Amino acid sequence: MKRIINVVGARPNFMKVAPIMEEMGKYPMLDPLLVHTGQHYDALMSKVFFEDLGMPKPDIFLGIGSGSHAEQTARIMVEFEKVCLEKKPDLVLVVGDVNSTMACTITAKKMGIRVAHVEAGLRSRDMEMPEEINRLCTDVLSDFLFTTDILADKNLVAEGISKDKIFFVGNVMIDTLIKHKERASHLTILQEWGLAAGDYAVLTLHRPSNVDQKEVLEEILEALAQISTEIPIIFPIHPRTSKMISDFQLDHFLSKCLPVRGIWLTDPLGYLEFLHLNINARMVLTDSGGLQEETTYLGIPCVTLRHNTERPVTCELGTNFLVGNKKADILKVAEQILCGTARAGCIPEKWDGQASERIVRILMEKI
Ligand code: UD1
C-alpha cells in the first residue's frame, strides 16, 4: 500500500483535488488521505464545495484560519508536520499556489517525504504576488511536477528543473468542469433571478493589488458601474473585498437587489451555481487565476483585471483579455465584447477531462 496525503486549503484547491482523489480511489494499492488546512473556513468558501463536488470529508482538518502570511504559513507547517509524523505518507500531493500549497511542500520535503505539485510551472513573473513566491518555492522542491500546458514545462526547464520530473498532463480543474457542466446547466437560478442567458456579466474580484487600496478599487468600480449601465453585472463577493468596500465606504457602487442595470451583490456562490452563471454569461470580469482557464474552456470572453497572468495560454489561444486595472482599458475591451467584435478562442491541448487519470497513472508507476 502507498499512502498519499492530498492537501487542500483554500477555495481554488477543492475543484483541483476532487478528481484526483476520485481517481486514486480506483486503485486498491493506494491509500489516499485528505488534509484540509482550514486556510478558508467559512461554509460558503469551503463546505459548499465538498457538497457540490461530492468530495469525501477531510480525514484531518487543521483549523488554521486567517492571519498574516507568516502566521498562516507557520501555523500550517507546525500542524502539518504532526500529521506527517503520525500518518507517515509515501507522498504529499499539493495543488495550485496558495499558502497551504507552499507550507505543506516545505514541511514534507524537510521530513524526507516526496512531493507532487499539480499545476506546476505557472509564472506571472510578478514577485509582488504572494502566489508567485508560493509557486517558485513549491516547484523547486517538488519531485513530480504536473503541468497544464507546454509553456509551463518551458518555464521549469529554464529554471534548471530536470526534465524527468516534469509531466505535461493537462488541467485537473477542467476535469471537474467537464464532469459537472451538464448538472450545472440544469440549475434554475437564472430563471429564479429573472435573467436570460447572455444578458448579464459575472464579476469576481479579490486580489490585494486590486482591492486593498482605495484609489485602485474605486477606479475599477467606476469602470464596472459604467459597463453595468449596458448590462447587469452579478458580483458574488469575496470576504476580503466585502470588508475593503465597506472600510473605504464604496458601497454606493453596489446594489443589494437585482437591478435591470447595475452591479448586483451576492454572497460567494457554490461550485455548481457559479458554473451555471459562467456557462450562460455574456462575459466574465475577474482577477482570479482559475476563471481565466474555465472561461477559455467554455469559450466565454474574459476580461482579466490584472497586468500579468501566470496563464498566458488563455490569452494566446483562449478567450482571455488582460486589461490591468485602469478605467479606460477595462472599458475599451468590455465594449468590444459587448459589440461582438472580440476574437474567439480555442481549447488548449489536453484540457480534455483526463488530466487526473494521467496523474494517478504516472504516480502508480513512479512511487
Ligand atoms: C487566497 C489565496 C489566493 C486565492 C484566494 C481564493 C494565498 C496567498 N492566497 O487568497 O491565491 O486566489 O485564496 O479565494 O494563499 N476570509 C474569510 N473567510 C474565509 C477565508 C478568508 O472571511 O473562509 C477573509 C479573512 O478576513 C482573511 C481574508 O478573507 O483575512 C483573506 O483570506 P486569505 O485566505 O488570507 O487570502 P485570500 O485573499 O482568500
Side-chain angles (χ1 to χ4, degrees):
M1 280 296 257
K2 297 286 181 188
R3 175 168 285 174
I4 301 181
I5 292 187
N6 297 284
V7 176
V8 291
R11 185 168 64 174
N13 293 159
F14 305 126
M15 63 292 268
K16 294 172 191 166
V17 168
I20 299 173
M21 285 285 289
E22 191 181 333
E23 192 59 28
M24 286 179 178
K26 296 179 187 165
Y27 291 83
M29 286 298 293
L30 292 180
D31 173 22
L33 296 178
L34 184 60
V35 171
H36 186 343
T37 65
Q39 178 176 339
H40 282 175
Y41 42 88
D42 284 346
L44 293 178
M45 300 292 285
S46 173
K47 185 165 165 263
V48 64
F49 286 82
F50 281 77
E51 292 163 2
D52 277 2
L53 299 169
M55 268 173 98
K57 279 213 177 108
D59 297 284
I60 297 154
F61 182 70
L62 303 181
I64 299 303
S66 300
S68 72
H69 282 269
E71 285 166 347
Q72 193 174 56
T73 307
R75 283 205 298 265
I76 297 169
M77 289 177 72
V78 170
E79 294 308 314
F80 190 64
E81 185 177 50
K82 293 177 197 161
V83 173
C84 289
L85 279 171
E86 190 200 324
K87 300 292 178 187
K88 301 190 176 23
D90 297 287
L91 181 88
V92 168
L93 182 142
V94 296
V95 296
D97 55 17
V98 302
N99 286 344
S100 303
T101 311
M102 179 186 72
C104 293
T105 300
I106 297 175
T107 308
K109 279 308 281 182
K110 288 207 164 187
M111 299 176 80
I113 302 164
R114 287 184 294 174
V115 173
H117 183 207
V118 175
E119 211 182 70
L122 299 184
R123 296 289 181 268
S124 66
R125 309 289 173 206
D126 176 0
M127 291 300 276
E128 284 180 19
M129 271 183 98
E131 293 83 357
E132 184 73 355
I133 298 169
N134 294 342
R135 292 181 199 117
L136 286 162
C137 293
T138 303
D139 284 342
V140 78
L141 295 175
S142 292
D143 301 274
F144 302 98
L145 296 105
F146 294 112
T147 62
T148 48
D149 143 45
I150 213 78
L151 293 172
D153 293 43
K154 288 188 183 149
N155 289 337
L156 294 169
V157 171
E159 287 168 21
I161 292 175
S162 157
K163 276 188 183 160
D164 56 13
K165 291 184 181 176
I166 306 170
F167 305 90
F168 170 37
V169 290
N171 194 324
V172 288
M173 209 177 52
I174 301 301
D175 290 5
T176 297
L177 190 156
I178 291 172
K179 179 170 177 196
H180 294 284
K181 193 172 162 226
E182 178 74 19
R183 248 175 95 208
S185 69
H186 290 125
L187 299 187
T188 54
I189 337 164
L190 282 187
Q191 252 166 285
E192 287 158 29
W193 288 350
L195 287 169
D199 278 356
Y200 63 90
V202 177
L203 165 69
T204 79
L205 197 65
H206 75 281
R207 297 245 161 247
S209 55
N210 280 337
V211 306
D212 283 2
Q213 286 163 271
K214 184 175 181 193
E215 311 71 58
V216 177
L217 183 54
E218 192 164 15
E219 183 164 345
I220 293 174
L221 290 173
E222 275 173 16
L224 296 168
Q226 193 160 325
I227 296 167
S228 76
T229 59
E230 293 185 46
I231 188 167
I233 298 180
I234 302 177
F235 184 15
I237 196 162
H238 186 284
R240 170 197 285 281
T241 315
S242 183
K243 179 176 179 302
M244 299 319 287
I245 285 182
S246 154
D247 287 358
F248 296 149
Q249 300 182 331
L250 295 170
D251 312 72
H252 55 279
F253 282 104
L254 310 170
S255 170
K256 291 228 163 81
C257 56
L258 186 60
V260 181
R261 298 284 177 260
I263 306 173
W264 184 44
L265 209 60
T266 76
D267 281 334
L269 296 171
Y271 181 78
L272 293 173
E273 288 181 326
F274 193 68
L275 181 54
H276 179 78
L277 279 191
N278 280 342
I279 293 171
N280 294 295
R282 174 93 66 91
M283 75 174 147
V284 169
L285 300 123
T286 190
D287 60 5
S288 144
L291 248 181
Q292 298 172 52
E293 297 182 340
E294 290 169 329
T295 47
T296 275
Y297 182 82
L298 294 168
I300 305 287
C302 180
V303 182
T304 296
L305 309 176
R306 288 174 48 187
H307 296 289
N308 50 56
T309 178
E310 60 289 336
R311 294 162 160 93
V313 70
T314 59
C315 298
E316 285 164 23
L317 292 183
T319 49
N320 188 19
F321 302 88
L322 210 55
V323 300
N325 52 19
K326 293 276 168 277
K327 187 175 170 185
D329 300 330
I330 300 170
L331 289 176
K332 192 172 141 207
V333 173
E335 215 38 65
Q336 286 169 359
I337 293 170
L338 290 175
C339 299
T341 54
R343 65 172 158 72
C346 62
I347 297 174
E349 193 188 345
K350 291 197 192 173
W351 291 20
D352 57 3
Q354 284 158 40
S356 326
E357 268 177 57
R358 295 187 189 105
I359 289 170
V360 178
R361 217 180 304 131
I362 292 166
L363 290 177
M364 281 300 293
E365 273 171 33
K366 307 266 177 193
I367 61 171

mmCIF file of all heavy atoms in Angstrom, residues 19-55:
data_model
loop_
_atom_site.group_PDB
_atom_site.id
_atom_site.type_symbol
_atom_site.label_atom_id
_atom_site.label_comp_id
_atom_site.label_asym_id
_atom_site.label_seq_id
_atom_site.Cartn_x
_atom_site.Cartn_y
_atom_site.Cartn_z
ATOM 1 N N PRO A 19 -11.104 15.557 -8.484
ATOM 2 C CA PRO A 19 -10.985 14.465 -9.475
ATOM 3 C C PRO A 19 -9.766 13.573 -9.218
ATOM 4 O O PRO A 19 -9.781 12.392 -9.573
ATOM 5 C CB PRO A 19 -10.839 15.210 -10.814
ATOM 6 C CG PRO A 19 -10.282 16.544 -10.462
ATOM 7 C CD PRO A 19 -10.843 16.878 -9.096
ATOM 8 N N ILE A 20 -8.749 14.120 -8.564
ATOM 9 C CA ILE A 20 -7.547 13.310 -8.280
ATOM 10 C C ILE A 20 -7.876 12.281 -7.202
ATOM 11 O O ILE A 20 -7.532 11.100 -7.322
ATOM 12 C CB ILE A 20 -6.369 14.216 -7.836
ATOM 13 C CG1 ILE A 20 -6.018 15.211 -8.952
ATOM 14 C CG2 ILE A 20 -5.149 13.388 -7.458
ATOM 15 C CD1 ILE A 20 -4.980 16.254 -8.554
ATOM 16 N N MET A 21 -8.584 12.718 -6.148
ATOM 17 C CA MET A 21 -8.986 11.787 -5.077
ATOM 18 C C MET A 21 -9.887 10.694 -5.663
ATOM 19 O O MET A 21 -9.758 9.517 -5.304
ATOM 20 C CB MET A 21 -9.782 12.530 -3.991
ATOM 21 C CG MET A 21 -8.999 13.406 -3.067
ATOM 22 S SD MET A 21 -8.055 12.490 -1.821
ATOM 23 C CE MET A 21 -9.324 11.875 -0.735
ATOM 24 N N GLU A 22 -10.793 11.094 -6.528
ATOM 25 C CA GLU A 22 -11.719 10.119 -7.121
ATOM 26 C C GLU A 22 -10.937 9.075 -7.918
ATOM 27 O O GLU A 22 -11.201 7.878 -7.820
ATOM 28 C CB GLU A 22 -12.711 10.861 -8.031
ATOM 29 C CG GLU A 22 -13.841 9.972 -8.470
ATOM 30 C CD GLU A 22 -14.812 10.683 -9.398
ATOM 31 O OE1 GLU A 22 -14.945 11.925 -9.315
ATOM 32 O OE2 GLU A 22 -15.433 9.986 -10.215
ATOM 33 N N GLU A 23 -9.967 9.539 -8.678
ATOM 34 C CA GLU A 23 -9.159 8.629 -9.497
ATOM 35 C C GLU A 23 -8.314 7.708 -8.601
ATOM 36 O O GLU A 23 -8.205 6.513 -8.863
ATOM 37 C CB GLU A 23 -8.264 9.485 -10.409
ATOM 38 C CG GLU A 23 -7.573 8.743 -11.511
ATOM 39 C CD GLU A 23 -8.507 8.024 -12.474
ATOM 40 O OE1 GLU A 23 -9.660 8.470 -12.666
ATOM 41 O OE2 GLU A 23 -8.086 6.978 -13.014
ATOM 42 N N MET A 24 -7.758 8.274 -7.523
ATOM 43 C CA MET A 24 -6.943 7.452 -6.613
ATOM 44 C C MET A 24 -7.776 6.328 -6.000
ATOM 45 O O MET A 24 -7.266 5.236 -5.726
ATOM 46 C CB MET A 24 -6.340 8.319 -5.498
ATOM 47 C CG MET A 24 -5.198 9.190 -5.968
ATOM 48 S SD MET A 24 -4.547 10.199 -4.618
ATOM 49 C CE MET A 24 -3.197 11.037 -5.448
ATOM 50 N N GLY A 25 -9.064 6.626 -5.790
ATOM 51 C CA GLY A 25 -9.972 5.635 -5.193
ATOM 52 C C GLY A 25 -10.109 4.379 -6.039
ATOM 53 O O GLY A 25 -10.550 3.332 -5.562
ATOM 54 N N LYS A 26 -9.751 4.467 -7.327
ATOM 55 C CA LYS A 26 -9.901 3.306 -8.216
ATOM 56 C C LYS A 26 -8.743 2.312 -8.071
ATOM 57 O O LYS A 26 -8.768 1.244 -8.660
ATOM 58 C CB LYS A 26 -9.950 3.770 -9.677
ATOM 59 C CG LYS A 26 -11.163 4.641 -9.986
ATOM 60 C CD LYS A 26 -11.128 5.081 -11.443
ATOM 61 C CE LYS A 26 -12.235 6.086 -11.716
ATOM 62 N NZ LYS A 26 -12.024 6.792 -12.995
ATOM 63 N N TYR A 27 -7.704 2.691 -7.350
ATOM 64 C CA TYR A 27 -6.513 1.833 -7.231
ATOM 65 C C TYR A 27 -6.421 1.262 -5.820
ATOM 66 O O TYR A 27 -6.116 1.989 -4.871
ATOM 67 C CB TYR A 27 -5.236 2.632 -7.530
ATOM 68 C CG TYR A 27 -5.091 3.060 -8.977
ATOM 69 C CD1 TYR A 27 -5.722 4.197 -9.461
ATOM 70 C CD2 TYR A 27 -4.306 2.313 -9.862
ATOM 71 C CE1 TYR A 27 -5.586 4.594 -10.790
ATOM 72 C CE2 TYR A 27 -4.165 2.697 -11.192
ATOM 73 C CZ TYR A 27 -4.809 3.840 -11.638
ATOM 74 O OH TYR A 27 -4.670 4.225 -12.945
ATOM 75 N N PRO A 28 -6.676 -0.057 -5.651
ATOM 76 C CA PRO A 28 -6.634 -0.658 -4.312
ATOM 77 C C PRO A 28 -5.259 -0.535 -3.639
ATOM 78 O O PRO A 28 -5.162 -0.579 -2.422
ATOM 79 C CB PRO A 28 -6.964 -2.137 -4.567
ATOM 80 C CG PRO A 28 -7.483 -2.210 -5.947
ATOM 81 C CD PRO A 28 -7.037 -1.017 -6.700
ATOM 82 N N MET A 29 -4.220 -0.326 -4.464
ATOM 83 C CA MET A 29 -2.864 -0.210 -3.904
ATOM 84 C C MET A 29 -2.604 1.156 -3.270
ATOM 85 O O MET A 29 -1.550 1.368 -2.675
ATOM 86 C CB MET A 29 -1.819 -0.419 -5.017
ATOM 87 C CG MET A 29 -1.658 -1.840 -5.480
ATOM 88 S SD MET A 29 -1.107 -2.865 -4.136
ATOM 89 C CE MET A 29 0.534 -2.188 -3.880
ATOM 90 N N LEU A 30 -3.543 2.087 -3.458
ATOM 91 C CA LEU A 30 -3.327 3.430 -2.919
ATOM 92 C C LEU A 30 -4.189 3.656 -1.686
ATOM 93 O O LEU A 30 -5.335 3.188 -1.613
ATOM 94 C CB LEU A 30 -3.665 4.491 -3.972
ATOM 95 C CG LEU A 30 -2.741 4.573 -5.196
ATOM 96 C CD1 LEU A 30 -3.212 5.675 -6.139
ATOM 97 C CD2 LEU A 30 -1.289 4.808 -4.780
ATOM 98 N N ASP A 31 -3.639 4.399 -0.746
ATOM 99 C CA ASP A 31 -4.387 4.776 0.463
ATOM 100 C C ASP A 31 -4.400 6.309 0.516
ATOM 101 O O ASP A 31 -3.547 6.916 1.168
ATOM 102 C CB ASP A 31 -3.661 4.171 1.683
ATOM 103 C CG ASP A 31 -4.266 4.640 2.998
ATOM 104 O OD1 ASP A 31 -5.438 5.068 2.991
ATOM 105 O OD2 ASP A 31 -3.550 4.588 4.024
ATOM 106 N N PRO A 32 -5.342 6.939 -0.198
ATOM 107 C CA PRO A 32 -5.342 8.406 -0.241
ATOM 108 C C PRO A 32 -6.020 9.011 0.984
ATOM 109 O O PRO A 32 -7.094 8.572 1.393
ATOM 110 C CB PRO A 32 -6.160 8.713 -1.510
ATOM 111 C CG PRO A 32 -7.009 7.517 -1.749
ATOM 112 C CD PRO A 32 -6.401 6.344 -1.042
ATOM 113 N N LEU A 33 -5.366 10.003 1.586
ATOM 114 C CA LEU A 33 -5.967 10.741 2.702
ATOM 115 C C LEU A 33 -6.147 12.191 2.268
ATOM 116 O O LEU A 33 -5.388 12.694 1.441
ATOM 117 C CB LEU A 33 -5.049 10.714 3.924
ATOM 118 C CG LEU A 33 -4.762 9.366 4.567
ATOM 119 C CD1 LEU A 33 -3.797 9.551 5.744
ATOM 120 C CD2 LEU A 33 -6.059 8.726 5.050
ATOM 121 N N LEU A 34 -7.142 12.859 2.852
ATOM 122 C CA LEU A 34 -7.374 14.260 2.527
ATOM 123 C C LEU A 34 -7.145 15.117 3.772
ATOM 124 O O LEU A 34 -7.780 14.903 4.811
ATOM 125 C CB LEU A 34 -8.818 14.445 2.023
ATOM 126 C CG LEU A 34 -9.191 15.852 1.544
ATOM 127 C CD1 LEU A 34 -8.315 16.288 0.371
ATOM 128 C CD2 LEU A 34 -10.671 15.913 1.146
ATOM 129 N N VAL A 35 -6.228 16.066 3.650
ATOM 130 C CA VAL A 35 -5.983 17.015 4.749
ATOM 131 C C VAL A 35 -6.456 18.387 4.305
ATOM 132 O O VAL A 35 -6.067 18.877 3.234
ATOM 133 C CB VAL A 35 -4.477 17.071 5.108
ATOM 134 C CG1 VAL A 35 -4.205 18.209 6.085
ATOM 135 C CG2 VAL A 35 -4.019 15.754 5.714
ATOM 136 N N HIS A 36 -7.313 19.014 5.112
ATOM 137 C CA HIS A 36 -7.797 20.384 4.854
ATOM 138 C C HIS A 36 -7.134 21.283 5.897
ATOM 139 O O HIS A 36 -7.342 21.097 7.095
ATOM 140 C CB HIS A 36 -9.324 20.400 4.991
ATOM 141 C CG HIS A 36 -9.976 21.706 4.617
ATOM 142 N ND1 HIS A 36 -9.303 22.904 4.498
ATOM 143 C CD2 HIS A 36 -11.274 21.989 4.326
ATOM 144 C CE1 HIS A 36 -10.134 23.863 4.153
ATOM 145 N NE2 HIS A 36 -11.347 23.332 4.042
ATOM 146 N N THR A 37 -6.342 22.252 5.427
ATOM 147 C CA THR A 37 -5.640 23.092 6.404
ATOM 148 C C THR A 37 -6.577 24.065 7.102
ATOM 149 O O THR A 37 -6.250 24.591 8.162
ATOM 150 C CB THR A 37 -4.519 23.913 5.725
ATOM 151 O OG1 THR A 37 -5.115 24.840 4.810
ATOM 152 C CG2 THR A 37 -3.517 23.031 5.016
ATOM 153 N N GLY A 38 -7.727 24.388 6.442
ATOM 154 C CA GLY A 38 -8.631 25.378 7.044
ATOM 155 C C GLY A 38 -8.208 26.807 6.751
ATOM 156 O O GLY A 38 -8.653 27.738 7.422
ATOM 157 N N GLN A 39 -7.356 26.994 5.723
ATOM 158 C CA GLN A 39 -7.000 28.373 5.321
ATOM 159 C C GLN A 39 -8.277 29.138 4.986
ATOM 160 O O GLN A 39 -8.436 30.296 5.370
ATOM 161 C CB GLN A 39 -6.040 28.330 4.116
ATOM 162 C CG GLN A 39 -5.668 29.707 3.610
ATOM 163 C CD GLN A 39 -4.636 29.688 2.487
ATOM 164 O OE1 GLN A 39 -3.901 28.726 2.311
ATOM 165 N NE2 GLN A 39 -4.576 30.770 1.732
ATOM 166 N N HIS A 40 -9.175 28.522 4.246
ATOM 167 C CA HIS A 40 -10.534 29.051 4.087
ATOM 168 C C HIS A 40 -11.451 28.216 4.965
ATOM 169 O O HIS A 40 -11.322 26.998 5.022
ATOM 170 C CB HIS A 40 -10.977 29.003 2.627
ATOM 171 C CG HIS A 40 -10.375 30.124 1.804
ATOM 172 N ND1 HIS A 40 -10.548 30.233 0.459
ATOM 173 C CD2 HIS A 40 -9.604 31.187 2.174
ATOM 174 C CE1 HIS A 40 -9.905 31.326 0.007
ATOM 175 N NE2 HIS A 40 -9.321 31.900 1.034
ATOM 176 N N TYR A 41 -12.370 28.884 5.645
ATOM 177 C CA TYR A 41 -13.137 28.206 6.691
ATOM 178 C C TYR A 41 -14.631 28.525 6.655
ATOM 179 O O TYR A 41 -15.451 27.754 7.119
ATOM 180 C CB TYR A 41 -12.572 28.603 8.075
ATOM 181 C CG TYR A 41 -12.262 30.083 8.145
ATOM 182 C CD1 TYR A 41 -13.224 30.994 8.529
ATOM 183 C CD2 TYR A 41 -11.016 30.571 7.749
ATOM 184 C CE1 TYR A 41 -12.944 32.358 8.540
ATOM 185 C CE2 TYR A 41 -10.742 31.920 7.764
ATOM 186 C CZ TYR A 41 -11.703 32.814 8.161
ATOM 187 O OH TYR A 41 -11.442 34.149 8.150
ATOM 188 N N ASP A 42 -15.026 29.673 6.081
ATOM 189 C CA ASP A 42 -16.464 29.971 6.004
ATOM 190 C C ASP A 42 -17.155 28.880 5.185
ATOM 191 O O ASP A 42 -16.580 28.392 4.207
ATOM 192 C CB ASP A 42 -16.707 31.308 5.294
ATOM 193 C CG ASP A 42 -16.404 32.496 6.193
ATOM 194 O OD1 ASP A 42 -16.268 32.292 7.412
ATOM 195 O OD2 ASP A 42 -16.296 33.617 5.668
ATOM 196 N N ALA A 43 -18.398 28.555 5.559
ATOM 197 C CA ALA A 43 -19.108 27.494 4.831
ATOM 198 C C ALA A 43 -19.170 27.804 3.338
ATOM 199 O O ALA A 43 -18.981 26.919 2.500
ATOM 200 C CB ALA A 43 -20.519 27.348 5.400
ATOM 201 N N LEU A 44 -19.380 29.084 2.996
ATOM 202 C CA LEU A 44 -19.520 29.435 1.573
ATOM 203 C C LEU A 44 -18.186 29.425 0.829
ATOM 204 O O LEU A 44 -18.156 29.483 -0.393
ATOM 205 C CB LEU A 44 -20.172 30.818 1.426
ATOM 206 C CG LEU A 44 -21.625 30.905 1.879
ATOM 207 C CD1 LEU A 44 -22.146 32.323 1.739
ATOM 208 C CD2 LEU A 44 -22.484 29.934 1.060
ATOM 209 N N MET A 45 -17.084 29.378 1.559
ATOM 210 C CA MET A 45 -15.759 29.333 0.915
ATOM 211 C C MET A 45 -15.205 27.913 0.927
ATOM 212 O O MET A 45 -14.148 27.655 0.354
ATOM 213 C CB MET A 45 -14.769 30.253 1.657
ATOM 214 C CG MET A 45 -15.161 31.707 1.700
ATOM 215 S SD MET A 45 -15.095 32.486 0.087
ATOM 216 C CE MET A 45 -13.332 32.672 -0.128
ATOM 217 N N SER A 46 -15.876 26.999 1.633
ATOM 218 C CA SER A 46 -15.283 25.673 1.805
ATOM 219 C C SER A 46 -16.334 24.546 1.754
ATOM 220 O O SER A 46 -16.395 23.794 0.788
ATOM 221 C CB SER A 46 -14.516 25.660 3.135
ATOM 222 O OG SER A 46 -14.060 24.392 3.446
ATOM 223 N N LYS A 47 -17.202 24.480 2.782
ATOM 224 C CA LYS A 47 -18.101 23.317 2.929
ATOM 225 C C LYS A 47 -18.951 23.079 1.671
ATOM 226 O O LYS A 47 -19.116 21.942 1.222
ATOM 227 C CB LYS A 47 -19.005 23.564 4.147
ATOM 228 C CG LYS A 47 -19.907 22.427 4.515
ATOM 229 C CD LYS A 47 -20.459 22.642 5.930
ATOM 230 C CE LYS A 47 -21.618 21.738 6.195
ATOM 231 N NZ LYS A 47 -22.914 22.364 5.983
ATOM 232 N N VAL A 48 -19.474 24.164 1.108
ATOM 233 C CA VAL A 48 -20.374 24.037 -0.039
ATOM 234 C C VAL A 48 -19.672 23.343 -1.216
ATOM 235 O O VAL A 48 -20.296 22.617 -1.993
ATOM 236 C CB VAL A 48 -20.950 25.423 -0.427
ATOM 237 C CG1 VAL A 48 -19.870 26.367 -0.889
ATOM 238 C CG2 VAL A 48 -22.011 25.313 -1.505
ATOM 239 N N PHE A 49 -18.365 23.499 -1.319
ATOM 240 C CA PHE A 49 -17.624 22.873 -2.420
ATOM 241 C C PHE A 49 -17.537 21.361 -2.231
ATOM 242 O O PHE A 49 -17.623 20.600 -3.188
ATOM 243 C CB PHE A 49 -16.216 23.479 -2.547
ATOM 244 C CG PHE A 49 -16.272 24.863 -3.147
ATOM 245 C CD1 PHE A 49 -16.575 25.958 -2.363
ATOM 246 C CD2 PHE A 49 -16.087 25.044 -4.501
ATOM 247 C CE1 PHE A 49 -16.677 27.221 -2.916
ATOM 248 C CE2 PHE A 49 -16.190 26.299 -5.066
ATOM 249 C CZ PHE A 49 -16.486 27.393 -4.269
ATOM 250 N N PHE A 50 -17.367 20.938 -0.975
ATOM 251 C CA PHE A 50 -17.336 19.496 -0.704
ATOM 252 C C PHE A 50 -18.678 18.880 -1.104
ATOM 253 O O PHE A 50 -18.725 17.813 -1.716
ATOM 254 C CB PHE A 50 -17.055 19.243 0.784
ATOM 255 C CG PHE A 50 -15.598 19.379 1.124
ATOM 256 C CD1 PHE A 50 -15.014 20.628 1.249
ATOM 257 C CD2 PHE A 50 -14.797 18.261 1.266
ATOM 258 C CE1 PHE A 50 -13.665 20.762 1.523
ATOM 259 C CE2 PHE A 50 -13.446 18.371 1.554
ATOM 260 C CZ PHE A 50 -12.879 19.634 1.682
ATOM 261 N N GLU A 51 -19.763 19.585 -0.796
ATOM 262 C CA GLU A 51 -21.090 19.054 -1.135
ATOM 263 C C GLU A 51 -21.285 19.027 -2.647
ATOM 264 O O GLU A 51 -21.650 18.010 -3.221
ATOM 265 C CB GLU A 51 -22.172 19.917 -0.465
ATOM 266 C CG GLU A 51 -22.158 19.769 1.046
ATOM 267 C CD GLU A 51 -22.909 20.893 1.770
ATOM 268 O OE1 GLU A 51 -23.477 21.780 1.093
ATOM 269 O OE2 GLU A 51 -22.889 20.882 3.000
ATOM 270 N N ASP A 52 -20.990 20.162 -3.299
ATOM 271 C CA ASP A 52 -21.222 20.255 -4.748
ATOM 272 C C ASP A 52 -20.386 19.249 -5.522
ATOM 273 O O ASP A 52 -20.819 18.708 -6.532
ATOM 274 C CB ASP A 52 -20.862 21.662 -5.251
ATOM 275 C CG ASP A 52 -22.000 22.655 -5.039
ATOM 276 O OD1 ASP A 52 -23.030 22.252 -4.473
ATOM 277 O OD2 ASP A 52 -21.843 23.825 -5.439
ATOM 278 N N LEU A 53 -19.162 19.037 -5.079
ATOM 279 C CA LEU A 53 -18.232 18.196 -5.840
ATOM 280 C C LEU A 53 -18.295 16.732 -5.405
ATOM 281 O O LEU A 53 -17.596 15.889 -5.961
ATOM 282 C CB LEU A 53 -16.789 18.712 -5.668
ATOM 283 C CG LEU A 53 -16.548 20.144 -6.164
ATOM 284 C CD1 LEU A 53 -15.182 20.645 -5.711
ATOM 285 C CD2 LEU A 53 -16.646 20.222 -7.679
ATOM 286 N N GLY A 54 -19.111 16.444 -4.383
ATOM 287 C CA GLY A 54 -19.208 15.067 -3.890
ATOM 288 C C GLY A 54 -17.883 14.578 -3.323
ATOM 289 O O GLY A 54 -17.529 13.408 -3.461
ATOM 290 N N MET A 55 -17.148 15.496 -2.688
ATOM 291 C CA MET A 55 -15.839 15.103 -2.128
ATOM 292 C C MET A 55 -16.014 14.470 -0.761
ATOM 293 O O MET A 55 -16.892 14.883 0.004
ATOM 294 C CB MET A 55 -14.970 16.346 -1.935
ATOM 295 C CG MET A 55 -14.093 16.678 -3.096
ATOM 296 S SD MET A 55 -13.301 18.240 -2.797
ATOM 297 C CE MET A 55 -11.715 17.733 -2.189
#
